[in-house]
Amino acid sequence: MSLDAVLDAIAAVCLIAGALLSLAAGIALVRFPDLLSRMHAAAKPQVLGLLLVLLGCALRLRTGVDITTLVLVGVFQLASAPVAAHMVGRAAYPHDQIRTDLLITDELAAHLDRISERS
């Protein structure tokens, strides 16, 4: 068995695992009950799924330009997804879009009046 065949098999596993994680994230966006759960599904498994797909593509393509582009896509996704999820959560909190009965700790409850003044 050659090195190319082994790398192609690893790439196939990464691509399939990434696609399944992204599919699970998409299903969770539809099925989860509240905004915070949906944000978690949009941020965590979707990003990991994308990184696995990018890794699979990098293992399959194996050229410097392609790998550099894929690394940049991964870095920008890692930098922007958590910030976007955080901002959506902060924007939705004062507008009763979050089920507080599902929260274990609510660190923003003491600051709700200050948050509501800004919006």
Side-chain angles (χ1 to χ4, degrees), residues 75-95:
V75 167
F76 288 132
Q77 183 68 27
L78 281 173
S80 64
V83 174
H86 178 76
M87 295 309 293
V88 167
R90 290 294 296 248
Y93 185 82
H95 300 290

Side-chain angles (χ1 to χ4, degrees), residues 51-90:
L51 291 177
L52 284 172
V53 167
L54 293 175
L55 178 63
C57 289
L59 289 173
R60 183 69 181 105
L61 296 173
R62 299 184 201 118
T63 62
V65 174
D66 293 331
I67 291 174
T68 304
T69 303
L70 294 172
V71 167
L72 284 174
V73 169
V75 167
F76 288 132
Q77 183 68 27
L78 281 173
S80 64
V83 174
H86 178 76
M87 295 309 293
V88 167
R90 290 294 296 248

Side-chain angles (χ1 to χ4, degrees), residues 26-51:
I27 291 171
L29 283 174
V30 175
R31 300 283 303 179
F32 280 174
D34 66 330
L35 179 79
L36 294 179
S37 301
R38 290 178 181 168
M39 272 187 351
H40 179 76
K44 304 285 190 232
Q46 184 271 332
V47 171
L48 181 58
L50 176 70
L51 291 177

Side-chain angles (χ1 to χ4, degrees), residues 17-29:
L20 289 175
L21 273 172
S22 296
L23 176 66
I27 291 171
L29 283 174

